[in-house]
Amino acid sequence: MKFGYVSWLPQTELVSKFIEELKNKRLMGTQCKQCAAKYLPPRAHCKCGSHEMEWFEAPKTGKILTYTLVTFGPESMAKYAPYIIAVAELDDGSRLLAHITGVTPKTLKVDMRVQVVSHHVTEDRIVYKFRPTE
Amino acid sequence: MTQKIGVIGIGHAKFGKRKDATIRELAHEAVKPALEDAGITTTDIDAAVIGVAGDEFAAQGSSGALIHDYIGMKNKPMFRVEAACATGSAGIRAAWSLIKAGLAETVLVVGAETMTQVGSPKATELMAKAGDTRWEYPFGITFPGFYALMATAHMHEYGTTREQLSMVSVKNHKYGVLNPYAHLQREVSLEEAVKSLTICHPLNLYDCCLISDGAAAVILANEEKAKKLCDTPVWITGLGSASDTMMISERQTLTSLTATRLAAEKAYRMARVSPDDIDVAVVHDCFTIAEIMAYEDLGFCKKGEGGKFIEEGQSYIGGERPVNMDGGLKAKGHPLGATGVSMTVEITRQLRGEANKRQVSGAEIGLSHNVGETGQYCFVHIYAR
C-alpha cells in the first residue's frame, strides 16, 4: 500500500506504519520525547535534532482554514481534476493539507467543521481526506 | 576600510517563448550586453555565479558549467546556485559575498531558464515536485494551488476582493508594454482580467505569471574597481534573506510570507533605510496575491491593506511606492533562474535613470524582493545610486 494519489518515494518504516494505522482509521503523528514538538503527518526526526520520537493519535475533527478548487492540476493528476484542496486545523492545533469531498465550491466555507477520513484511492493507494461533519 | 559593492554592468535577453534559442544562446544574449555595458571583457571578470533552477525543463544537467563555458569564461572559478524561483537573487547574494570575502573583485552573475519546451502541464508538474513530495505533492497541489490557498485566506481575513487581485494584473500588464524585454506586451482591461479562465479558484489565468524562457546578467565589483570602471555604479547597500517551512500546512500564517518579513527587516537594517525611503521596487508577483502580500510584508502598507493599496493606485508611477515597472513576473515573464537577476537589472536601470517611459523620476533608492517557492526562500536587496 502506498500513500497519495501520486508518489514515488521509497516507503520508509515510518510511512508504512502510518499507512497501516490509516487503514484502521487512525490518524497518527509523531511527538518528540525531548522537546515535545508534535508532527502531523509524522516525521522520523525532530527539528530540534532529536530522533527519539513516539507515536500519538491525532484528533480527526477540525475546521477549514483555507481551500482552493484545482481546475488545472499537474500532468500526473489530470484524471482526478477538478478537485478541492483544503488546509484544516485539527482540534489539537495541528494542520493538515488534503482533498475535501462532500462539498461544492459554493457550499464550502472557511471555518466549516470537518472530519478526517481514510480513503482508498485505488486498491494499493490510500490517503486521508476531509468531509464536512454531519 | 569597508568597501561598498556595486553593479557595474547589466544585460537582459528577450523573455518569451524562445524557440530560436536554447539556454546557452539565451545566456549569451544577456551576458554580451552586460560586458558591453561595463566596458570590459570576460578576461576582466574574476569569477561567475550561475543560477538555473531546474535541470528537467531544459533537459540539461549541470547547466552552470555549460553556460560558463559557452560565454567564454575559460578556466575561471564558477559555481551554480539554486533557490527555486529566487535562484537569481541567491546568485546576486553569493556574488556579493565572494567579493566581500575578498575571493574576487569582479563577479558575473548569470540567471537563465528555458521552460516552454516542456509545455504547461509538464511545467506545472515539474514545479509541483518542488513542494514536499512525501505529504503535499501526493495530493496534486500545484504552485497556483498553494498561492490560491493564501488568496482564499487573505480574502476571508481581510476582505481582499476579486477586483483588487485583478488590478495588480492590469497594472503589471500596463508597464510590461513599456518593457521591450517583456514576454507579454499587451494591456488587459479589469473586466478581461476578472473574467478570465479559472486555474485554481480563486486565481484565474490573469492572476498567474507566465511560463517563459529567458536570461539576465549582472556584473558586480568592489568599490575600487566599480569606481574605476563605471561612471554610474549602483550600490547594493542592504541584503536580507530568510526561509520558512517546506510544508504549507506547518506555516503559522497563510496570509503573509514570514520569510519576506524577516528578510526585509534585515535588508532595511543593513541599508539603514525604512520602507518609506524606497523610491522604486520590484516584488515577486508570481501570482497577484503574492504582490498584495508583498506590499504588506515589505511594509509598504499595513497588514491587510494590500488590496486597498493597489485599488488606490499607490503602486503606480506617481503613487506612494511604484512597484514592478518592468511588468513584473506577470507580464515580463518568470524564467525561474533569470528572474532575480532581471530584478537587479531593472532596479539598476531605474536608479541610473535609464528606464525610459517606465522611469520613476529621480529614483535614488530601490528594492528587489524575490521569493523561492511559496516562501521557503526569500531575498531582499536594497540599492542606492
Side-chain angles (χ1 to χ4, degrees), chain B residues 116-183:
Chain B
T116 67
Q117 73 190 45
V118 296
S120 294
K122 182 71 180 170
T124 306
E125 175 87 38
L126 292 175
M127 283 186 278
K129 281 180 178 169
D132 186 293
T133 49
R134 174 68 79 196
W135 300 115
E136 293 194 337
Y137 171 87
F139 288 99
I141 185 75
T142 61
F143 266 86
F146 278 124
Y147 278 93
L149 291 171
M150 296 187 230
T152 301
H154 204 276
M155 291 164 101
H156 176 77
E157 195 165 334
Y158 300 113
T160 304
T161 66
R162 168 67 267 166
E163 284 72 21
Q164 288 170 340
L165 293 175
S166 293
M167 284 171 190
V168 171
S169 184
V170 169
K171 171 180 71 72
N172 292 349
H173 278 93
K174 175 188 158 80
Y175 289 117
V177 172
L178 306 176
N179 180 358
Y181 300 98
H183 184 163

Side-chain angles (χ1 to χ4, degrees), chain A residues 66-74 83 85, chain B residues 85 120-121 123-129 140-152 197-211 248 286-290 293 334 373-374:
Chain A
T66 189
Y67 59 89
T68 177
L69 170 67
V70 178
T71 314
F72 291 95
Y83 43 90
I85 290 181
Chain B
C85 322
S120 294
T124 306
E125 175 87 38
L126 292 175
M127 283 186 278
K129 281 180 178 169
I141 185 75
T142 61
F143 266 86
F146 278 124
Y147 278 93
L149 291 171
M150 296 187 230
T152 301
L197 183 71
T198 301
I199 302 293
C200 286
H201 177 84
L203 300 182
N204 66 34
L205 189 63
Y206 281 108
D207 290 309
C208 304
C209 66
L210 302 164
I211 291 173
I248 199 166
C286 50
F287 300 95
T288 51
I289 184 63
M293 290 194 299
H334 181 27
E373 305 197 47
T374 50

Side-chain angles (χ1 to χ4, degrees), chain B residues 10-21:
Chain B
I10 51 173
H12 207 289
K14 171 83 171 80
F15 283 9
K17 197 167 182 173
R18 293 291 305 270
K19 285 189 173 161
D20 60 315

Side-chain angles (χ1 to χ4, degrees), chain B residues 92-112:
Chain B
I92 301 282
R93 186 177 167 91
W96 190 95
S97 309
L98 282 176
I99 297 172
K100 196 72 183 170
L103 288 172
E105 290 190 301
T106 51
V107 180
L108 170 68
V109 187
V110 187

Side-chain angles (χ1 to χ4, degrees), chain B residues 182-342:
Chain B
H183 184 163
L184 258 196
Q185 281 154 340
R186 183 171 79 79
E187 293 205 27
V188 295
S189 68
L190 184 60
E191 193 191 357
E192 192 184 354
V194 165
K195 288 186 176 162
S196 70
L197 183 71
T198 301
I199 302 293
C200 286
H201 177 84
L203 300 182
N204 66 34
L205 189 63
Y206 281 108
D207 290 309
C208 304
C209 66
L210 302 164
I211 291 173
S212 311
D213 308 320
V218 159
I219 300 164
L220 298 185
N222 66 16
E223 188 170 0
E224 196 185 321
K225 281 265 178 181
K227 284 181 171 166
K228 201 165 117 191
L229 294 168
C230 183
D231 294 333
T232 53
V234 165
W235 307 108
I236 300 182
T237 55
L239 298 97
S241 177
S243 57
D244 208 343
T245 62
M246 192 65 180
M247 290 203 293
I248 199 166
S249 59
E250 277 197 280
R251 301 279 170 87
Q252 292 308 300
T253 170
L254 293 165
T255 55
S256 167
L257 294 184
T258 302
T260 295
R261 283 194 295 101
L262 297 175
E265 272 173 30
K266 290 179 198 174
Y268 288 135
R269 201 181 316 131
M270 180 174 164
R272 295 186 181 146
V273 297
S274 76
D276 292 344
D277 297 315
I278 304 301
D279 298 315
V280 59
V282 284
V283 310
H284 197 87
D285 63 320
C286 50
F287 300 95
T288 51
I289 184 63
E291 180 162 326
I292 286 177
M293 290 194 299
Y295 299 153
E296 300 170 358
D297 293 335
L298 293 167
F300 296 171
C301 65
K302 286 188 192 143
K303 190 67 215 157
E305 294 185 0
K308 191 175 135 210
F309 195 75
I310 179 69
E311 188 162 358
E312 290 175 353
Q314 302 293 5
S315 48
Y316 276 80
I317 290 176
E320 213 170 90
R321 206 80 52 219
V323 171
N324 288 340
M325 271 52 260
D326 59 356
L329 282 56
K330 178 68 208 79
K332 184 182 63 178
H334 181 27
L336 309 178
T339 288
V341 183
S342 166

